[in-house]
Amino acid sequence: MKPPDLDKLRQSGRISATAREHGRSLIRPGVKLREVAEASEEVIYDMGGKPAFPAQVSRNNIAAHYCSSPTDESEFQPNDIVKLDLGTQVDG
């Protein structure tokens, strides 16, 4: 088995952290969940990575793995508890 390429893993981590912080900056009442997920993925692509899985934004009682559909119009509400889940791959 081939050992992991630590430079690519570090690059992946840096991209993910940047995308997460960008997504975090967009979370506020009235913004669509889908918009935050799409903007986060755009940062991943712009920085030379690919999403490891679709970006997911969960609110309140949905603990994890909510993936907005292209027609999802759900918006953040005041006092929401939010989880932004994303990951990045670099060269697979």
Side-chain angles (χ1 to χ4, degrees):
M1 185 156 118
K2 182 179 170 184
D5 183 328
L6 295 180
D7 289 333
K8 289 180 182 175
L9 289 173
R10 288 182 187 104
Q11 181 183 2
S12 173
R14 284 190 296 273
I15 293 170
S16 291
T18 302
R20 182 195 64 226
E21 288 307 308
H22 178 67
R24 180 176 179 242
S25 75
L26 301 175
I27 297 170
R28 61 185 174 277
V31 174
K32 291 179 177 47
L33 278 65
R34 175 178 38 84
E35 291 172 358
V36 170
E38 290 172 354
S40 298
E41 288 181 352
E42 187 174 324
V43 169
I44 292 171
Y45 285 116
D46 288 349
M47 293 184 71
K50 293 182 182 175
F53 50 86
Q56 301 163 12
V57 182
S58 303
R59 295 184 309 149
N60 305 321
N61 64 328
I62 301 172
H65 307 296
Y66 180 78
C67 193
S68 297
S69 73
T71 60
D72 185 0
E73 296 296 318
S74 301
E75 296 180 350
F76 294 102
Q77 301 300 313
N79 301 311
D80 274 349
I81 297 171
V82 178
K83 177 180 172 273
L84 173 58
D85 189 10
L86 55 82
T88 302
Q89 62 159 317
V90 174
D91 292 333

